Amino acid sequence: MIFYNMQELLLLAMAAVVIDWVIGDPKWPTHPVIWIGRLIKALERMLYPKDPSDSTLEAKLRGCLLTLITIAVSCGVMTLIIWAADAIHVWAGYAVSAWFISTTLAVKGLKDAAMLVYAPLTQGNLDDARRYVGYIVGRDTDRLSGPEAARATVETVAENTVDAFLSPLLFALIGGAPLAMLYRSANTLDSMVGYRNDKYISFGWCSARLDDVLNYIPARLTGLLMVAAAALLPGMKPRKSWKSIRAFASLHPSPNSGIPESAVAGAIGIQLGGINRYFGIASERARMGWKTRELEPRDIRTSIHILYAVSALALAGMGVAWLCLL
């Protein structure tokens, strides 16, 4: 029986959060996201138009086929794995489900990636900080100043509180590991082909739009949780966080990313956004929050505290919901 009731889904999701906190996101060759990435690359080689400039519609249709196949295979394979484990024993099904849900979360992985930037920044080693920032952002990093490196990292932590935590968690609460993996495959598609450049503007259109749709509600719930987290953490500004969301979130080019970024900016008392460079070309990104000072390495740690507070609030909320269903 792989169709779990709400109590079971809550327990599985809570176990997954704890597993992610403790074990994190191991870079094993068997990690589902690695296999999803390989599938996307293989499908892209087969489906990408030989001359995408010939037909924008054809490129979009081929991109839609890429998206459909990827999410169907990811969800279908996950369903078969859970079914096989459950056929062995119900507790095997539970264990496999909790583990695979945890692989769609990345709270510890996000913290570890951010701390790789934090450590050299505090030591004045800007070259290493730039290199590690390059692992987590798509912008040019070779000329970043210290405050710009800190800004890029804080923005990544804020934005990925949605993508790497709350979104997959909510989908897990709806449909267990299969639906959580469907979300992770859609998010991976967006990170690989959802760019607005000449190569992917049409072919990646479907992947980018699907990611926007799937993150729409989670992003707004994350904003609320970040305001609540700011109220619980010492030195944070919950009112400024809420005001920042209302004032700046809609200025972001993404319908979702501006919410967590503006929430974190207001809570800490910094300004995010500004000039980013992509392939040497400067791009002005809407500014989030009110600038009271330059960003510092400690702001990276503070953004991580907000990330963990959000995950703790979500865990507590699931625990209360589970008790109410007893």
Side-chain angles (χ1 to χ4, degrees):
M1 178 63 182
I2 64 170
F3 297 103
Y4 300 124
N5 61 40
M6 196 65 233
Q7 281 180 302
E8 291 171 319
L9 288 172
L10 284 164
L11 285 174
L12 291 173
M14 287 189 286
V17 172
V18 175
I19 292 170
D20 179 57
W21 279 353
V22 175
I23 298 177
D25 199 20
K27 302 296 185 277
W28 295 341
T30 54
H31 194 287
V33 175
I34 293 177
W35 283 101
I36 291 170
R38 291 173 179 172
L39 173 64
I40 293 168
K41 287 181 180 178
L43 290 172
E44 182 182 354
R45 286 194 294 269
M46 291 187 290
L47 293 172
Y48 191 82
K50 291 183 174 58
D51 187 358
S53 64
D54 284 349
S55 173
T56 298
L57 178 59
E58 180 188 353
K60 283 187 176 182
L61 290 175
R62 286 173 174 267
C64 287
L65 187 58
L66 166 71
T67 302
L68 180 62
I69 294 173
T70 302
I71 64 174
V73 170
S74 300
C75 185
V77 169
M78 192 75 267
T79 301
L80 288 174
I81 291 173
I82 301 302
W83 175 83
D86 196 72
I88 296 171
H89 195 279
V90 63
W91 281 102
Y94 288 152
V96 171
S97 291
W99 168 253
F100 275 106
I101 292 171
S102 77
T103 67
T104 68
L105 310 176
V107 172
K108 185 175 184 295
L110 189 55
K111 181 261 293 184
D112 291 343
M115 290 302 291
L116 283 176
V117 181
Y118 171 81
L121 270 184
T122 57
Q123 298 161 5
N125 187 345
L126 196 52
D127 287 339
D128 279 356
R130 288 167 174 164
R131 177 161 59 90
Y132 289 125
V133 171
Y135 293 167
I136 58 175
V137 300
R139 72 193 70 170
D140 298 344
T141 62
D142 57 319
R143 291 189 291 174
L144 291 180
S145 65
E148 287 172 334
R151 173 170 71 85
T153 307
V154 170
E155 288 171 351
T156 298
V157 173
E159 180 179 353
N160 282 279
T161 304
V162 180
D163 298 359
F165 178 68
L166 200 65
S167 284
L169 185 68
L170 289 177
F171 282 98
L173 289 172
I174 297 170
L179 209 58
M181 201 61 67
L182 181 150
Y183 169 78
R184 179 52 59 211
S185 66
N187 187 247
T188 305
L189 276 163
D190 180 61
S191 68
M192 293 179 68
V193 303
Y195 297 102
R196 296 191 178 191
N197 55 24
D198 291 341
K199 182 177 182 180
Y200 291 122
I201 185 67
S202 296
F203 186 70
W205 173 84
C206 183
S207 296
R209 297 292 77 74
L210 178 62
D211 187 70
D212 288 342
V213 170
L214 295 182
N215 283 315
Y216 188 85
I217 292 175
R220 283 142 184 84
L221 291 176
T222 299
L224 294 175
L225 286 173
M226 284 178 165
V227 174
L232 297 175
L233 294 171
M236 295 290 98
K237 304 173 178 64
R239 290 185 179 179
K240 280 288 184 69
S241 181
W242 175 246
K243 289 179 180 179
S244 184
I245 293 174
R246 292 174 61 86
F248 302 109
S250 62
L251 302 179
H252 200 284
S254 164
N256 302 316
S257 298
I259 295 173
E261 287 188 24
S262 58
V264 167
I268 300 176
I270 56 176
Q271 185 179 77
L272 300 177
I275 297 177
N276 300 334
R277 293 184 179 276
Y278 301 91
F279 306 104
I281 300 173
S283 173
E284 178 73 20
R285 183 60 61 88
R287 286 166 168 77
M288 310 273 119
W290 298 272
K291 184 173 182 178
T292 58
R293 58 175 174 80
E294 292 288 345
L295 273 86
E296 302 173 5
R298 63 188 171 96
D299 296 320
I300 296 175
R301 291 186 65 91
T302 305
S303 69
I304 293 170
H305 294 159
I306 295 174
L307 165 67
Y308 269 87
V310 166
S311 64
L313 285 170
L315 183 64
M318 290 187 294
V320 170
W322 181 78
L323 289 173
C324 290
L325 292 174
L326 288 178

